[in-house]
């Protein structure tokens, strides 16, 4: 597969394959996945990966030469989640209809296909899905075989159109994709999103849990076993950063940076590798769908820009946030993340509470998913919210910290914009952040950044 180094290269590749009728299968089996109004941050399993796979499926569906994309996930019909997650099939409406060639066929486009597996009528956390992987694979095989036959009748001259690739996302879907790839003899690609060995290493460094406790909480050994299987089965592993290859995948038995280069050189020279194989690692940093972002051409340094409530009506979510502050005119420190312990939100609140000068200078806004009742959240998420509320009380931060219960996916750009409007900063202080979509999102909406030094350039302002 030629190295794709830029969007131009992708355009060239698409142009070379535009007459093809490719069928692509993506697999992402945990969390709540739907095409519109995603409930990102609702729980630990519904976050960046959900957004990544939906936007990837949509973009692939609009790529010339790609006829059909199926994003396979779990069908969830449970009283505590919206009925939309129980729909067997959902078409992902194209963002850019002009990209659609005239070869739109009856079954072409990008779809979410929901396969029933695991306890019926229950939405369960990803850690409890492992015993049900085989049931998912059985259901996915039936779907793929049926779809290949249907596509064959439409665009394959009666011959089944098999998937050209099966792309697994995260350990659980990667485990499934490896089984599907073997059963169908279709190449596999894998994206980890977050890796078990790195998570285990970081959690043990924190010293709060023993290895057995980490395993009991996160089923981390089964997850690592699946990731090792993905290394065995995958032709290509897509990573978000170079650091993920060197420092995270380098922890695995099935991958070694030096060995991979040597094997690739031997293959190039047509020399035997004595049966050793390793997947090719390709860093492709996550992008973002920008079509819904409305750039504001207001000069942030102008007086008008700093008037919250100037002539154009303020987005409603601004009032939901500003109502918490006794002095809403202060610059805002914004954190936006799932209320997962690894996002380290409690440390941010503690630092803010203990820094009196900072408290006089700025307000703190915490966007921590959507919640109705804390006691009805998952134990880990509920514990984070409870700790935050206790810290607000301990440091008497009332009137200085906003922690709204709800926000819509479509309001996220306005939330970043509010931070920018107040000349504030965005902070990502996660302990473990393989990439961090929120940093990309803020970039295109004018914010100054701070984030945990380990993962990202510590501070940068777009355009600086
Ligand atoms: O209350 C919230 C919380 C999050 N988000 C969105 O959810 C996404 C969260 O993505 P990210 O910050 O990257 O975190 P994770 O959910 O942990 O995503 C995992 O997968 C991502 C894609 O591979 C990687 O960028 C992360 O490092 C990895 O931890 C972003 O688009 C946020 O805008 C909301 O809309 N509302
Ligand atoms: O924190 P963990 O257990 O590594 O998992 C990261 C989670 O964040 C997500 O992006 C949520 O969509 C998934 O990658 C995964 O469920």
């Amino acid at each position: 597969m030629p190295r794709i180094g830029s969007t131009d290269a992708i355009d060239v590749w698409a142009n070379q394959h535009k007459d093809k009728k490719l069928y692509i299968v993506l697999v992402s089996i945990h969390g709540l996945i739907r095409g519109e109004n995603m409930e990102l941050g609702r729980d630990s399993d519904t976050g960046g990966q959900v957004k990544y796979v939906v936007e990837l499926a949509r973009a692939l569906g609009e790529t010339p030469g790609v006829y059909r994309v199926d994003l396979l996930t779990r069908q969830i019909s449970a009283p505590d989640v919206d009925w939309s997650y129980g729909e067997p099939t959902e078409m992902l409406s194209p963002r850019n209809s002009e990209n659609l060639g005239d070869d739109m066929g009856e079954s072409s486009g990008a779809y979410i296909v929901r396969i029933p597996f695991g306890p019926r009528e229950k939405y369960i956390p990803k850690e409890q899905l492992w015993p049900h992987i085989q049931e998912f694979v059985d259901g996915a095989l039936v779907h793929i075989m049926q779809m290949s036959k249907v596509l064959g009748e439409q665009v394959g001259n009666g011959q089944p159109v098999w998937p050209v690739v099966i792309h697994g996302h995260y350990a659980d879907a990667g485990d499934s994709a490896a089984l599907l790839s073997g059963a169908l003899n279709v190449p596999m690609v894998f994206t980890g999103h977050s890796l078990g060995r790195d998570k285990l290493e970081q959690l043990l460094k924190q010293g709060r849990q023993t290895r057995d406790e980490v395993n009991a909480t996160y089923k981390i050994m089964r997850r690592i076993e699946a990731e090792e299987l993905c290394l065995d089965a995958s032709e290509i592993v897509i990573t978000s950063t170079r650091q993920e290859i060197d420092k995270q995948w380098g922890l695995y038995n099935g991958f070694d940076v030096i060995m991979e280069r040597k094997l690739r050189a031997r293959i190039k020279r047509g020399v035997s590798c004595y049966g050793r194989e390793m997947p090719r690692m390709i860093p492709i940093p996550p992008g973002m769908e920008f079509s819904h972002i409305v750039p504001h051409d207001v000069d942030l340094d102008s007086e008008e820009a700093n008037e919250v409530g100037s002539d154009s009506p303020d987005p409603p979510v601004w009032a939901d946030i500003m109502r918490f502050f006794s002095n809403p005119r202060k610059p805002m420190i914004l954190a936006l993340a799932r209320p997962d312990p690894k996002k380290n939100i409690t440390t941010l609140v503690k630092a803010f509470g203990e820094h009196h000068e900072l408290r006089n200078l700025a307000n703190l806004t915490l966007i921590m998913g959507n919640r109705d009742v804390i006691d009805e959240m998952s134990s880990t998420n509920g514990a984070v919210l409870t700790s935050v509320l206790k810290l607000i009380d301990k440091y008497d931060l009332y009137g200085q910290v906003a922690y709204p219960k709800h926000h819509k996916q479509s309001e996220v750009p306005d939330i970043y914009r509010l931070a920018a409007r107040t000349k504030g900063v965005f902070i990502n202080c996660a302990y473990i952040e393989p990439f961090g979509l929120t940093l990309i999102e803020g970039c295109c909406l004018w914010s100054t950044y701070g984030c945990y030094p380990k993962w990202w350039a510590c501070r940068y302002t777009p355009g600086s």
Side-chain angles (χ1 to χ4, degrees):
M1 182 176 188
R3 185 173 294 282
I4 294 180
S6 71
T7 47
D8 303 338
I10 292 175
D11 292 342
V12 167
W13 183 90
N15 200 34
Q16 289 166 349
H17 295 75
K18 67 180 187 308
D19 299 328
K20 298 240 173 99
K21 303 284 186 194
L22 301 177
Y23 175 31
I24 293 173
V25 172
L26 308 179
V27 186
S28 184
I29 64 173
H30 69 248
L32 297 172
I33 298 181
R34 66 184 180 192
E36 305 302 332
N37 194 24
M38 293 178 244
E39 295 183 86
L40 302 181
R42 177 193 183 276
D43 53 60
S44 281
D45 297 349
T46 305
Q49 177 179 325
V50 169
K51 182 176 201 173
Y52 182 114
V53 295
V54 169
E55 292 191 352
L56 175 62
R58 205 175 248 125
L60 284 171
E62 296 175 27
T63 303
V66 176
Y67 185 76
R68 168 99 184 189
V69 181
D70 280 343
L71 168 54
L72 307 186
T73 191
R74 183 173 184 240
Q75 183 183 41
I76 306 165
S77 306
D80 56 337
V81 299
D82 189 82
W83 60 270
S84 54
Y85 302 108
E87 290 296 286
T89 305
E90 176 186 346
M91 182 171 187
L92 291 173
S93 51
R95 284 280 184 257
N96 206 345
S97 50
E98 66 204 35
N99 280 355
L100 299 177
D102 50 13
D103 63 349
M104 289 300 292
E106 188 187 333
S107 304
S108 64
Y111 296 80
I112 297 173
V113 176
R114 298 185 177 92
I115 310 284
F117 70 99
R120 295 296 180 266
E121 301 199 1
K122 272 191 178 177
Y123 175 46
I124 58 176
K126 61 177 177 289
E127 290 79 10
Q128 295 175 24
L129 287 176
W130 293 110
H132 311 291
I133 294 280
Q134 188 56 60
E135 184 186 4
F136 167 75
V137 170
D138 294 344
L141 269 178
V142 169
H143 168 76
I144 291 171
M145 291 169 77
Q146 284 172 347
M147 184 51 64
S148 299
K149 191 165 177 288
V150 166
L151 298 181
E153 285 150 16
Q154 289 177 15
V155 294
N157 303 319
Q159 293 305 309
V161 176
W162 297 106
V164 287
V165 67
I166 296 177
H167 185 173
H169 292 266
Y170 196 83
D172 46 13
D175 196 277
S176 312
L179 297 174
L180 289 167
S181 167
L184 294 166
N185 192 26
V186 168
M188 175 185 168
V189 169
F190 180 64
T191 301
H193 293 277
S194 177
L195 297 177
R197 282 199 192 279
D198 184 64
K199 185 176 180 93
L200 174 60
E201 192 179 86
Q202 300 300 330
L203 288 172
L204 293 178
K205 268 185 197 163
Q206 285 168 26
R208 293 184 183 150
Q209 288 174 296
T210 65
R211 180 181 291 266
D212 287 346
E213 286 165 344
V214 172
N215 193 42
T217 308
Y218 297 104
K219 301 290 181 289
I220 206 83
M221 298 322 287
R222 178 64 184 85
R223 174 172 164 184
I224 292 168
E225 179 192 324
E227 289 161 343
E228 294 282 5
L229 174 61
C230 292
L231 287 170
D232 281 345
S234 298
E235 303 291 325
I236 292 174
V237 171
I238 292 170
T239 70
S240 296
T241 62
R242 185 77 232 168
Q243 186 269 358
E244 187 181 336
I245 299 173
D246 299 337
K247 303 291 182 200
Q248 298 187 49
W249 280 116
L251 299 171
Y252 286 76
N253 303 330
F255 181 76
D256 176 88
V257 178
I258 310 293
M259 175 66 83
E260 192 269 334
R261 278 197 205 115
K262 287 184 175 173
L263 290 174
R264 197 142 40 91
R266 293 181 72 89
I267 291 167
K268 227 174 194 172
R269 296 201 314 267
V271 176
S272 167
C273 292
Y274 305 105
R276 276 307 305 261
E277 288 180 350
M278 266 182 204
R280 185 156 160 205
M281 294 276 172
I282 302 183
I284 304 180
M288 217 190 114
E289 170 57 55
F290 289 92
S291 58
H292 63 295
I293 303 281
V294 179
H296 272 211
D297 56 359
V298 174
D299 170 9
L300 282 182
D301 293 322
S302 68
E303 275 311 305
E304 182 221 343
N306 299 317
E307 285 304 312
V308 178
S310 53
D311 50 0
S312 56
D314 290 343
V317 73
W318 287 11
D320 293 344
I321 293 171
M322 301 303 259
R323 67 188 172 95
F324 283 86
F325 299 135
S326 42
N327 176 358
R329 301 185 62 79
K330 291 198 288 189
M332 178 188 292
I333 300 169
L334 170 64
L336 186 146
R338 296 177 288 118
D340 185 284
K342 85 169 187 181
K343 297 299 184 179
N344 206 18
I345 295 171
T346 48
T347 302
L348 174 61
V349 180
K350 204 177 295 176
F352 183 75
E354 289 171 356
H355 202 296
H356 291 279
E357 197 179 327
L358 185 60
R359 288 170 54 175
N360 293 332
L361 278 176
N363 288 320
L364 176 62
T365 295
L366 306 174
I367 306 296
M368 302 176 281
N370 285 281
R371 65 188 183 276
D372 291 318
V373 180
I374 291 178
D375 288 345
E376 291 170 4
M377 297 175 78
S378 71
S379 55
T380 44
N381 289 6
V384 169
L385 260 297
T386 306
S387 302
V388 166
L389 296 182
K390 284 181 178 174
L391 287 167
I392 288 170
D393 194 62
K394 174 183 175 182
Y395 295 108
D396 192 7
L397 299 176
Y398 298 101
Q400 296 178 296
V401 181
Y403 37 100
K405 290 170 71 102
H406 298 103
H407 67 286
K408 298 188 190 75
Q409 188 50 37
S410 57
E411 292 175 323
V412 169
D414 290 326
I415 294 172
Y416 285 110
R417 203 168 284 122
L418 176 60
R421 182 63 71 87
T422 65
K423 289 180 169 289
V425 293
F426 173 76
I427 182 88
N428 175 330
C429 51
Y431 285 121
I432 311 165
E433 194 62 277
F435 185 74
L437 296 181
T438 52
L439 293 156
I440 295 283
E441 292 162 359
C443 255
C444 57
L445 293 157
W446 307 307
S447 287
T448 300
Y449 276 81
C451 57
Y452 196 60
K454 178 172 180 195
W455 300 114
W456 270 74
C458 196
R459 186 178 175 76
Y460 62 92
T461 304
S464 63

